[in-house]
Amino acid sequence: MIRIPLARMAKIVTGRLLMLVAFPLSFSAFADEGMWTIDNFPTDVVAEKYDVNIGGDWLGKAQLATTRLENGCTGSFVSDSGLVLTNNHCTWGCIRNLSTAQRNLSDEGFMARTRDEELQCPGQQVSVLVDFEEVSDNIASATAGMGEAEANEARKAELTRLESACEEASDGERSCEAVTLYNGGQYFIYQYKRYDDVRLVFAPELDIAAFGGDPDNFNFPRWCLDMSFLRVYEDGKPAQTPDYLRWRAKGPDAGDPVFITGHPGSTDRLLTVAQLKFQRDVILPLWLLRYSELRGRMMAWQYTSDEAARTVQQRILNYENAIKVRRNQLKALQNDRMIERKERQERSLREAVAADPALKAAYGEAWNLINKSLETHRNFYEEHLFIENSAGLAGELYNYAKTIVRGTAEREKPNSERIRAYTDTALPMLEQGLFAPRPIDREFEKLQLTFSLEKMREWLGPDSQWVHTILGKEAPDVLASSLVSGTKLDDPSYRKQLWEGGVDAVGASDDPLIRLAAAVDPGARALRKRYEDEVEALRVRGEEMIADARFRLYGTDTNPDATFTLRVTYGAVEGWQERGRPVEPFTRTSRLFERATGQRPFKVPTSWSTAREDLNLDTPFNFVATTDITGGNSGSPIIAADGALVGLAFDGNIHSIAGDYWFDPSMNRTVGVNTAIILEALQTVYGADHIVAELSFID
Amino acid sequence: MIRIPLARMAKIVTGRLLMLVAFPLSFSAFADEGMWTIDNFPTDVVAEKYDVNIGGDWLGKAQLATTRLENGCTGSFVSDSGLVLTNNHCTWGCIRNLSTAQRNLSDEGFMARTRDEELQCPGQQVSVLVDFEEVSDNIASATAGMGEAEANEARKAELTRLESACEEASDGERSCEAVTLYNGGQYFIYQYKRYDDVRLVFAPELDIAAFGGDPDNFNFPRWCLDMSFLRVYEDGKPAQTPDYLRWRAKGPDAGDPVFITGHPGSTDRLLTVAQLKFQRDVILPLWLLRYSELRGRMMAWQYTSDEAARTVQQRILNYENAIKVRRNQLKALQNDRMIERKERQERSLREAVAADPALKAAYGEAWNLINKSLETHRNFYEEHLFIENSAGLAGELYNYAKTIVRGTAEREKPNSERIRAYTDTALPMLEQGLFAPRPIDREFEKLQLTFSLEKMREWLGPDSQWVHTILGKEAPDVLASSLVSGTKLDDPSYRKQLWEGGVDAVGASDDPLIRLAAAVDPGARALRKRYEDEVEALRVRGEEMIADARFRLYGTDTNPDATFTLRVTYGAVEGWQERGRPVEPFTRTSRLFERATGQRPFKVPTSWSTAREDLNLDTPFNFVATTDITGGNSGSPIIAADGALVGLAFDGNIHSIAGDYWFDPSMNRTVGVNTAIILEALQTVYGADHIVAELSFID
């Protein structure tokens, strides 16, 4: 599945997104590569290749029909009453939060028969991009003539100021977010209309939504009904959404050109070779070791009770998905020929810079700056990860504690001096998450906290000052148990009371997790400061220089790396050759039943086996296309040239994972749910005629 | 700890040991490098550097005082009555097999007050090397003029024949084993005296033996009393062992030259660069992913019951040890400068070969042969691993089934045509293991089998023919549960009945694990055949060619890579510089108590806290030396120049792990238990005067 993997999401949320400018690859110019911004879409290239006109009107309409789910996904409006189509796996959090020991909506599925039955998803937000403005000149002025660390602070302060000014100018109608494209080549302020009342309308059973589970994830042929419907509300009523997508009942044909709008999370196609090796040698191995072990703990723990199984069922799938992504990223980076190609490309850029005295003076030091940032980062990577990024203090409860301790302190500062996660424009979403009534499984919290404390001790070593500060003479499991048992942070009203009480309430709290977070915070801030001044500042400056050099040398007809902002990609419905054998682009419903074993994850739910005789077994189920997407595109609409919705992106094939570093048009495929099977399921399996009646169809 | 890590042990036992000839490194010629064979020890170099004479007498005595523990360790005789000193961690299997829910010898420790109280370790064997003979000419004759695959078979058949001839000539007094040194540069038959009645005499509590647990493993400073005493018996009486080591009560002094005899398992110092990259990119990542997850499953499972905790307590430490080894091996191989140095060395050898027409004709193709073997191996690495090497069918019970199914079939063949694990000379040890009464925890077996079946499906994919053959329509956990519940293979008498009944009994058995192993065997044999003919045969031939080229170009004054055969290494008691700070070579007992937290793994057992006032807190505890050892040297005696026992090797420092690929004399250190603290503990903590009385002392 191509929801943003867990670690990526954290990277984005905490503002440490590694992004780099795009540049012309050595593949054919006609390769279907690129996650294009709406204002720089290659209309002419597409017209030439596919003989269709995807112009401003088309794109503007698609923009307003496309939604961002703030938990790392995409969706699209499919009615004028706020009905949103997205992936089932993008609604797992909502489904879990709404489930109880007595009513497992994941196993049973969910369908509201009336609007009154639609259930609000705690903390869920949905956004639509309505406008954007370039502010590159403001940033250039604000940072002119400064050293790296000073410029890094000034840049952030200016972005914070611009965001607030934008929101004020909109009278609170818009949420404004700074966006960095082309790695500092361009800065923008994006304006979103944000919906914070989001309700669950329909979700099929997990057994059909994620049929094949982890074994089939990123594979194709495939049979997943990975879809849910949500609805956005305003003032307690369904929102009016006149820009929505019409539905093609028969889905796409082989060879059809298709377009995908959505919010791809991040790509790393133009990292320097040194940055790629840092991923290969430092980031990915440590991540994989930790999460493989955590996966194992959850796999064993799920057998301890029915509640444990329910608590981790979807989480295990999420972790397995992230592990599959990471291990295939590592595999991609271990391909020495790929690294050598990247080295050649980098050499050619550096030689072009060196050959021109003006370019050399302006940009020649860029790679050294980045190398220096990596060397420094290497020296305290583990400490920064385990302490400031809380890899050593995992779980929702500690996360609440950290947010409250740090957030209340940050709120005391002037807006432009705050850590950007706590600026005025960031607080509404943060507060919605903090106050949302989500069920907490204390036993699972203990498991996570024990694990993370043990890993902290393992990687920082038993003699680290951090181990002494946090563990003292306690064993990790004993400490975790006492912290989780003793805290009241599972109570949203207690969180709200502390948050609204501010630093005084936090200082007076004897909650053990609040006290621990307060003890960790000063040192963690010192690590953050070191990271910002000695790593981030150099990297961002170096990347800005490379971005500018690329613009100067290669022009601007390129697409930036993904940044969880709106993009459009184009391609066609088309299979590929796997080890010399053709993979057909469509699967059919009949083979779903042949593949079923009766055992999870290959178990067809009862609703489907009951409906089998009534189903049209020729209905196309999943399909592939040559479009260029990545994590964050989960839930993206797959749109035909005439604007009809023909599919719902939910995954890539296994080769798509290397797409983080480069796009291979011969192998990289999007995997989508066909609109035909969604319709067939709604009508024949689920009797959801009221939902079908709300859709609009186009031939 | 430097017991052979699990995967290595399997590699050796199944005869797939990757070994390569040694060649002169670019370090100083006086570096304390080398795991030397007893007949090629650099007496002159040592005399020059340390002004001591380590000649044939010294070495011959040390040879007979050094024992191999057939579970992957070393030991030494310390009395004339068969008393063996080894590491506590080398006796964990024995301790676990002798423990019950009511009597946990790991937690409590064990001391036999009389010989009658000494407890036999099920399946344990101890060997002493008594003679060896070079047979390189026989192998050369047997394989002359053959293609790789044919030569591979003929080589094995000749080694089998030579082993049997050796045992027949000894009238059954000796166990004979073929040994390949210098990677095919030399072949030997080693003769061992083997003891199959081995009893536990003394073991301290795990809490002091492995004080610091995984967090401190491979670290120094250190405080581990990682020692046990065993005793070998003959005809029901303590064996007579006149060649034993005398004990130095005060241990070594800083700067003392020291010598370590033992059985290092394997090193990879002279793999080709392509082979190193295969480890880096294929073998190590997959291994680490699997074992990190298994570790997690065991960590979570241990909380489910006291019995579960007891079952996995030491196993977790073993896995953690292996994970630490592997992840530091991976880190070593990710050092691009190291790889570049290896590339330069390889280029220089290849250029020297290419420059001489005779050498070129004889050896020029060696690297291409190895590359071809790797490419082929890459194409079915996972399949071979999960099926033929049983990574997809884990647990002691399946292992019994596989041994019985395959072994009974192999016994039908003439000796020289059998897989070498089942030759006449291999069968006695195999049978002792198969018939030994070891307790089996069925719940743990289910955990292991479930895990391995799931990993098989994950890595081979749900559409693999193997997944269909083994799982059918079952879920891994359901199948594992039914297989483990249904088998009778936990009963040694049933195993014996099947083994002695041969293929007929096996064919008639309805035991579900026997039936599964029988269903897997033909396909697994096909994978084995492919591996032998297309991978191993090419690799061995290529390695032989490189070994010969090295002998021709660099001479024979070198030491071979480790092969779990007797070696001697030399060095001195000496600390090192860690990030600019000196690490002293000795630790003292006083700091053990300061470091204790009262919580495992930093918990000092009650016996020690009780004895604290009586202990001499200045007693040196652990120490480091510059000697070159690796996994398999666990339990090795550390011997002074005058032949006195001064320490017991049990670990290396963290830098020693890269020693698998190269020896860095400035950083690589052996970690040993000082004979002074063993004596102090025996006398003051354990009241083991009867054991002390059995030792002989030397000033």
Side-chain angles (χ1 to χ4, degrees):
Chain A
M1 52 190 158
I2 47 161
R3 176 176 173 169
I4 299 180
L6 306 163
R8 280 300 159 99
M9 197 59 208
K11 209 166 75 168
I12 290 163
V13 168
T14 56
R16 288 166 296 97
L17 185 60
L18 290 166
M19 25 185 180
L20 268 182
V21 65
F23 82 142
L25 278 185
S26 56
F27 293 114
S28 151
F30 276 23
D32 297 339
E33 178 180 355
M35 303 170 187
W36 298 87
T37 51
I38 212 96
D39 58 327
N40 196 27
F41 187 76
T43 301
D44 294 348
V45 174
V46 171
E48 189 175 340
K49 181 163 184 189
Y50 291 112
D51 196 22
V52 293
N53 176 37
I54 305 300
D57 284 356
W58 195 106
L59 294 164
K61 190 165 162 49
Q63 172 188 330
L64 294 175
T66 305
T67 67
R68 185 166 84 175
L69 274 58
E70 296 298 348
N71 56 338
C73 283
T74 296
S76 62
F77 290 125
V78 290
S79 87
D80 61 3
S81 305
L83 191 66
V84 173
L85 174 67
T86 187
N87 290 148
N88 185 264
H89 74 261
C90 295
T91 61
W92 286 352
C94 172
I95 290 169
R96 192 169 56 236
N97 287 330
L98 295 173
S99 292
T100 62
Q102 289 71 43
R103 192 182 180 198
N104 185 338
L105 301 184
S106 175
D107 281 356
E108 300 164 15
F110 175 77
M111 181 166 67
R113 303 216 154 262
T114 64
R115 295 206 175 156
D116 287 349
E117 288 181 12
E118 294 174 1
L119 298 176
Q120 191 171 22
C121 298
Q124 179 74 57
Q125 297 197 321
V126 165
S127 310
V128 177
L129 177 66
V130 288
D131 207 352
F132 47 86
E133 181 189 8
E134 185 167 1
V135 294
S136 305
D137 290 346
N138 304 57
I139 300 302
S141 308
T143 60
M146 292 178 177
E148 289 90 20
E150 194 190 358
N152 197 34
E153 283 190 14
R155 187 184 300 114
K156 291 179 180 183
E158 178 67 4
L159 292 174
T160 295
R161 194 190 64 74
L162 289 164
E163 287 172 343
S164 283
C166 167
E167 293 201 355
E168 278 161 31
S170 80
D171 273 338
E173 292 292 304
R174 300 279 178 268
S175 296
C176 298
E177 282 183 17
V179 175
T180 309
L181 296 181
Y182 300 97
N183 230 34
Q186 294 177 353
Y187 291 91
F188 278 83
I189 299 292
Y190 275 37
Q191 296 184 27
Y192 294 95
K193 176 168 178 59
R194 191 156 286 160
Y195 300 94
D196 57 13
D197 182 353
V198 182
R199 305 189 191 176
L200 185 65
V201 175
F202 174 85
E205 306 90 334
L206 183 67
D207 282 339
I208 189 67
F211 183 81
D214 180 64
D216 268 0
N217 192 21
F218 283 106
N219 286 348
F220 190 85
R222 193 77 165 279
W223 297 264
C224 291
L225 193 76
D226 192 353
M227 53 80 59
S228 287
F229 287 116
L230 301 172
R231 191 187 305 280
V232 295
Y233 279 69
E234 274 187 303
D235 304 324
K237 285 180 290 194
Q240 293 182 18
T241 50
D243 295 292
Y244 65 90
L245 299 174
R246 269 74 178 173
W247 196 284
R248 174 151 293 137
K250 74 181 183 69
D253 289 325
D256 277 359
V258 286
F259 306 86
I260 295 182
T261 52
H263 294 84
S266 80
T267 50
D268 296 318
R269 293 185 186 170
L270 291 158
L271 292 186
T272 68
V273 173
Q275 287 175 311
L276 291 174
K277 288 184 175 175
F278 195 80
Q279 284 206 9
R280 183 192 71 187
D281 299 343
V282 179
I283 297 176
L284 289 172
L286 175 47
W287 192 96
L288 281 165
L289 283 171
R290 288 195 299 125
Y291 281 82
S292 294
E293 183 179 338
L294 180 56
R295 174 194 194 177
R297 292 191 188 216
M298 290 161 72
M299 293 296 286
W301 184 69
Q302 68 179 334
Y303 292 107
T304 59
S305 73
D306 289 347
E307 262 307 269
R310 191 174 70 79
T311 296
V312 295
Q313 182 179 38
Q314 302 156 325
R315 287 186 171 99
I316 286 174
L317 287 170
N318 277 332
Y319 283 116
E320 288 178 334
N321 178 63
I323 288 168
K324 212 176 231 192
V325 169
R326 295 283 176 284
R327 80 168 163 83
N328 281 284
Q329 287 179 333
L330 181 62
K331 190 176 169 190
L333 291 177
Q334 283 167 336
N335 182 337
D336 283 347
R337 272 180 297 188
M338 193 279 276
I339 293 285
E340 282 158 22
R341 207 186 72 182
K342 293 275 185 187
E343 280 169 342
R344 280 196 304 277
Q345 293 171 336
E346 184 169 301
R347 203 158 43 233
S348 123
L349 175 61
R350 294 185 71 164
E351 283 167 2
V353 166
D356 177 325
L359 293 181
K360 185 178 177 185
Y363 311 125
E365 275 303 296
W367 290 269
N368 290 340
L369 278 174
I370 290 173
N371 290 348
K372 199 173 160 198
S373 86
L374 293 171
E375 277 160 34
T376 306
H377 196 190
R378 184 71 203 88
N379 286 332
F380 72 119
Y381 177 79
E382 287 85 2
E383 207 178 2
H384 183 253
L385 174 71
F386 280 99
I387 303 305
E388 169 58 8
N389 288 354
S390 301
L393 293 152
E396 293 183 52
L397 291 171
Y398 185 82
N399 197 36
Y400 286 138
K402 180 183 175 182
T403 300
I404 289 168
V405 166
R406 187 167 279 186
T408 50
E410 287 294 304
R411 272 191 336 203
E412 302 275 304
K413 300 179 186 171
N415 190 38
S416 65
E417 291 174 21
R418 294 181 203 159
I419 293 174
R420 282 181 41 73
Y422 304 95
T423 59
D424 287 339
T425 57
L427 285 180
M429 202 190 298
L430 181 148
E431 288 174 354
Q432 195 186 349
L434 189 59
F435 304 154
R438 294 194 181 100
I440 299 276
D441 184 318
R442 284 184 192 259
E443 293 308 309
F444 183 56
E445 288 286 315
K446 287 177 192 173
L447 181 154
Q448 291 174 282
L449 190 53
T450 299
F451 166 74
S452 61
L453 290 168
E454 286 176 358
K455 293 306 102 175
M456 175 189 68
R457 185 174 67 184
E458 177 175 340
W459 286 86
L460 303 188
D463 297 310
S464 154
Q465 53 142 325
W466 284 109
V467 174
H468 291 297
T469 300
I470 294 170
L471 285 180
K473 296 213 160 193
E474 283 295 1
D477 54 349
V478 177
L479 178 65
S481 191
S482 108
L483 290 171
V484 170
S485 300
T487 188
K488 290 173 292 185
L489 290 171
D490 59 325
D491 176 1
S493 66
Y494 184 61
R495 299 196 295 266
K496 194 165 187 180
Q497 176 192 326
L498 287 174
W499 181 256
E500 290 175 351
V503 290
D504 292 340
V506 169
S509 169
D510 60 358
D511 190 279
L513 280 177
I514 292 287
R515 295 275 52 84
L516 177 60
V520 168
D521 196 54
R525 282 177 181 270
L527 288 167
R528 182 185 185 86
K529 176 81 176 138
R530 184 175 173 202
Y531 177 82
E532 288 181 336
D533 289 355
E534 300 176 33
V535 179
E536 183 184 66
L538 276 63
R539 193 196 71 227
V540 170
R541 173 63 61 87
E543 289 177 345
E544 277 180 350
M545 289 159 71
I546 293 175
D548 282 347
R550 284 184 195 286
F551 280 151
R552 297 273 296 271
L553 286 161
Y554 301 142
T556 53
D557 248 8
T558 60
N559 59 91
D561 260 310
T563 53
F564 200 38
T565 56
L566 189 67
R567 301 299 175 84
V568 192
T569 173
Y570 62 94
V573 175
E574 193 179 303
W576 78 97
Q577 295 276 325
E578 186 72 46
R579 300 185 185 201
R581 288 192 193 159
V583 179
E584 297 302 318
F586 291 104
T587 61
R588 305 270 163 193
T589 304
S590 51
R591 272 207 56 201
L592 164 71
F593 291 101
E594 293 160 23
R595 191 169 180 76
T597 65
Q599 297 274 357
R600 286 182 173 171
F602 296 98
K603 183 179 173 183
V604 164
T606 313
S607 62
W608 281 70
S609 37
T610 306
R612 181 174 182 169
E613 289 191 7
D614 300 322
L615 280 165
N616 176 356
L617 296 178
D618 276 342
T619 309
F621 211 106
N622 292 163
F623 69 103
V624 289
T626 62
T627 36
D628 181 11
I629 65 173
T630 191
N633 274 114
S634 272
S636 279
I638 306 178
I639 310 173
D642 64 357
L645 181 77
V646 295
L648 171 64
F650 73 99
D651 205 0
N653 69 356
I654 197 75
H655 309 293
S656 73
I657 296 174
D660 197 45
Y661 306 111
W662 77 99
F663 184 79
D664 180 349
S666 67
M667 303 301 278
N668 190 327
R669 292 293 178 273
T670 295
V671 183
V673 192
N674 202 301
T675 47
I677 190 62
I678 298 178
L679 188 63
E680 176 76 357
L682 289 173
Q683 292 174 321
T684 309
V685 180
Y686 297 106
D689 296 332
H690 60 298
I691 296 176
V692 174
E694 191 177 339
L695 306 175
S696 295
F697 293 88
I698 181 172
D699 271 347
Chain B
M1 52 189 161
I2 47 162
R3 176 174 173 170
I4 299 179
L6 306 162
R8 282 299 160 99
M9 197 60 207
K11 213 166 69 168
I12 291 163
V13 167
T14 55
R16 287 166 295 100
L17 185 58
L18 290 166
M19 23 183 181
L20 268 183
V21 65
F23 81 141
L25 279 186
S26 55
F27 294 112
S28 149
F30 274 24
D32 297 339
E33 177 180 355
M35 303 169 186
W36 298 87
T37 50
I38 212 94
D39 58 327
N40 197 26
F41 187 76
T43 301
D44 295 347
V45 174
V46 172
E48 188 173 339
K49 179 162 185 190
Y50 291 110
D51 196 22
V52 294
N53 176 34
I54 306 299
D57 284 357
W58 194 105
L59 292 164
K61 189 164 164 51
Q63 170 189 331
L64 294 174
T66 304
T67 68
R68 184 165 85 174
L69 274 59
E70 297 297 349
N71 55 339
C73 283
T74 296
S76 63
F77 290 124
V78 290
S79 87
D80 61 2
S81 305
L83 191 66
V84 173
L85 174 67
T86 186
N87 290 147
N88 184 266
H89 74 259
C90 295
T91 62
W92 286 351
C94 172
I95 288 169
R96 192 168 56 237
N97 288 331
L98 295 172
S99 292
T100 63
Q102 289 71 44
R103 192 182 182 200
N104 185 337
L105 301 183
S106 176
D107 281 356
E108 301 164 14
F110 175 78
M111 181 166 68
R113 304 216 152 262
T114 65
R115 297 209 174 155
D116 286 348
E117 289 181 10
E118 296 175 358
L119 298 175
Q120 191 171 22
C121 298
Q124 178 74 57
Q125 298 198 321
V126 165
S127 309
V128 177
L129 177 66
V130 288
D131 207 352
F132 47 86
E133 181 190 7
E134 185 168 358
V135 295
S136 306
D137 290 346
N138 303 58
I139 300 302
S141 309
T143 61
M146 292 178 175
E148 289 92 19
E150 194 190 359
N152 198 34
E153 282 190 14
R155 189 185 298 114
K156 291 179 180 183
E158 179 66 6
L159 292 174
T160 296
R161 194 191 64 74
L162 289 164
E163 286 172 342
S164 283
C166 166
E167 292 201 356
E168 278 163 29
S170 80
D171 272 340
E173 292 291 306
R174 300 280 178 265
S175 296
C176 299
E177 283 182 17
V179 176
T180 310
L181 296 181
Y182 301 96
N183 230 32
Q186 294 176 353
Y187 291 90
F188 278 84
I189 298 292
Y190 274 37
Q191 296 184 28
Y192 294 95
K193 176 169 180 58
R194 189 156 285 160
Y195 299 95
D196 57 12
D197 181 353
V198 181
R199 305 189 192 178
L200 185 64
V201 175
F202 174 85
E205 305 90 334
L206 183 67
D207 283 338
I208 190 68
F211 182 81
D214 179 64
D216 269 359
N217 192 22
F218 283 107
N219 285 347
F220 190 84
R222 194 77 165 279
W223 297 264
C224 290
L225 193 77
D226 192 353
M227 53 81 58
S228 288
F229 287 116
L230 301 171
R231 191 186 305 281
V232 295
Y233 279 69
E234 276 188 304
D235 304 324
K237 286 180 289 192
Q240 294 182 18
T241 50
D243 295 292
Y244 65 91
L245 298 173
R246 269 75 176 173
W247 196 285
R248 175 150 294 138
K250 73 179 183 72
D253 290 324
D256 276 0
V258 287
F259 306 86
I260 295 182
T261 52
H263 293 86
S266 79
T267 50
D268 295 318
R269 293 185 186 170
L270 291 158
L271 293 188
T272 68
V273 173
Q275 287 175 310
L276 290 174
K277 288 184 175 176
F278 195 80
Q279 285 206 8
R280 183 192 70 186
D281 299 342
V282 179
I283 297 175
L284 289 172
L286 175 48
W287 192 96
L288 280 165
L289 283 172
R290 288 195 300 124
Y291 281 83
S292 294
E293 183 179 338
L294 181 56
R295 174 193 195 179
R297 294 192 186 215
M298 291 162 70
M299 293 296 286
W301 184 70
Q302 69 178 333
Y303 293 108
T304 59
S305 73
D306 289 348
E307 262 306 271
R310 190 175 71 78
T311 296
V312 294
Q313 181 178 39
Q314 302 156 324
R315 287 186 170 101
I316 286 174
L317 286 170
N318 277 333
Y319 283 117
E320 289 179 333
N321 178 63
I323 288 168
K324 213 176 228 191
V325 169
R326 293 286 175 284
R327 79 168 163 83
N328 282 283
Q329 287 179 334
L330 181 61
K331 190 177 167 188
L333 291 178
Q334 283 167 337
N335 182 338
D336 283 347
R337 274 180 297 191
M338 192 279 274
I339 293 285
E340 283 159 20
R341 206 185 76 184
K342 292 276 186 187
E343 279 170 343
R344 281 197 303 277
Q345 293 171 336
E346 185 168 301
R347 204 158 40 235
S348 125
L349 175 61
R350 293 185 71 165
E351 284 167 2
V353 167
D356 178 324
L359 291 181
K360 184 178 177 186
Y363 311 124
E365 274 305 296
W367 290 269
N368 291 340
L369 279 174
I370 289 174
N371 291 348
K372 198 172 161 200
S373 86
L374 292 172
E375 277 160 36
T376 306
H377 196 190
R378 184 71 202 88
N379 286 333
F380 72 120
Y381 177 77
E382 286 85 2
E383 207 178 2
H384 184 253
L385 174 71
F386 280 98
I387 304 304
E388 169 59 8
N389 287 355
S390 300
L393 294 152
E396 292 182 53
L397 291 170
Y398 185 83
N399 197 37
Y400 286 138
K402 180 183 174 180
T403 301
I404 289 167
V405 166
R406 188 168 279 185
T408 50
E410 287 294 305
R411 273 190 335 204
E412 303 276 304
K413 301 178 184 172
N415 191 37
S416 66
E417 292 174 21
R418 294 182 203 160
I419 294 174
R420 283 183 37 74
Y422 304 96
T423 60
D424 287 340
T425 57
L427 285 179
M429 202 190 298
L430 180 149
E431 288 174 353
Q432 195 187 349
L434 188 61
F435 304 155
R438 294 193 179 100
I440 299 277
D441 184 319
R442 283 184 192 258
E443 293 307 310
F444 183 56
E445 288 287 315
K446 286 177 192 173
L447 183 153
Q448 291 174 283
L449 189 53
T450 298
F451 166 75
S452 62
L453 291 169
E454 286 176 357
K455 293 305 103 176
M456 176 188 67
R457 186 175 65 183
E458 177 176 341
W459 286 86
L460 302 188
D463 298 310
S464 154
Q465 55 141 324
W466 284 110
V467 174
H468 291 297
T469 301
I470 294 170
L471 285 180
K473 298 213 158 194
E474 283 294 0
D477 54 350
V478 176
L479 179 64
S481 190
S482 110
L483 290 170
V484 171
S485 301
T487 187
K488 290 173 289 185
L489 290 171
D490 60 325
D491 175 1
S493 66
Y494 184 61
R495 300 195 293 267
K496 193 165 187 179
Q497 178 192 324
L498 287 174
W499 181 257
E500 290 176 350
V503 290
D504 292 341
V506 169
S509 169
D510 59 359
D511 190 279
L513 280 176
I514 291 288
R515 293 275 52 84
L516 177 61
V520 167
D521 196 56
R525 283 177 180 270
L527 287 168
R528 181 185 186 88
K529 178 79 176 143
R530 183 174 174 204
Y531 177 83
E532 288 181 335
D533 288 355
E534 301 176 31
V535 179
E536 183 184 65
L538 275 63
R539 192 196 71 229
V540 169
R541 173 62 60 88
E543 289 177 345
E544 276 181 350
M545 288 159 72
I546 293 175
D548 282 348
R550 286 185 195 285
F551 281 150
R552 297 273 295 271
L553 287 162
Y554 302 140
T556 53
D557 249 6
T558 61
N559 60 90
D561 261 312
T563 53
F564 201 37
T565 55
L566 189 67
R567 302 299 173 86
V568 192
T569 173
Y570 61 93
V573 176
E574 194 178 302
W576 78 98
Q577 296 276 324
E578 186 71 44
R579 301 186 185 199
R581 289 191 193 161
V583 180
E584 298 300 319
F586 291 104
T587 61
R588 304 271 162 191
T589 304
S590 51
R591 273 208 54 201
L592 164 71
F593 291 101
E594 293 160 22
R595 189 169 181 77
T597 65
Q599 296 275 358
R600 284 182 173 168
F602 296 99
K603 184 180 174 183
V604 164
T606 313
S607 63
W608 281 70
S609 37
T610 307
R612 181 173 181 170
E613 289 190 8
D614 300 322
L615 279 165
N616 176 356
L617 296 179
D618 277 341
T619 310
F621 211 106
N622 291 163
F623 68 103
V624 289
T626 62
T627 35
D628 181 12
I629 65 173
T630 191
N633 273 114
S634 271
S636 279
I638 306 178
I639 310 173
D642 63 357
L645 182 76
V646 295
L648 171 64
F650 73 100
D651 206 359
N653 66 357
I654 197 73
H655 309 293
S656 72
I657 295 174
D660 197 44
Y661 306 111
W662 77 98
F663 184 78
D664 179 350
S666 67
M667 303 300 280
N668 189 327
R669 292 293 178 272
T670 295
V671 182
V673 190
N674 202 302
T675 47
I677 190 62
I678 298 178
L679 188 62
E680 177 76 356
L682 289 173
Q683 291 174 321
T684 309
V685 179
Y686 298 105
D689 297 333
H690 60 296
I691 296 177
V692 175
E694 190 176 338
L695 306 175
S696 296
F697 292 89
I698 179 173
D699 272 344

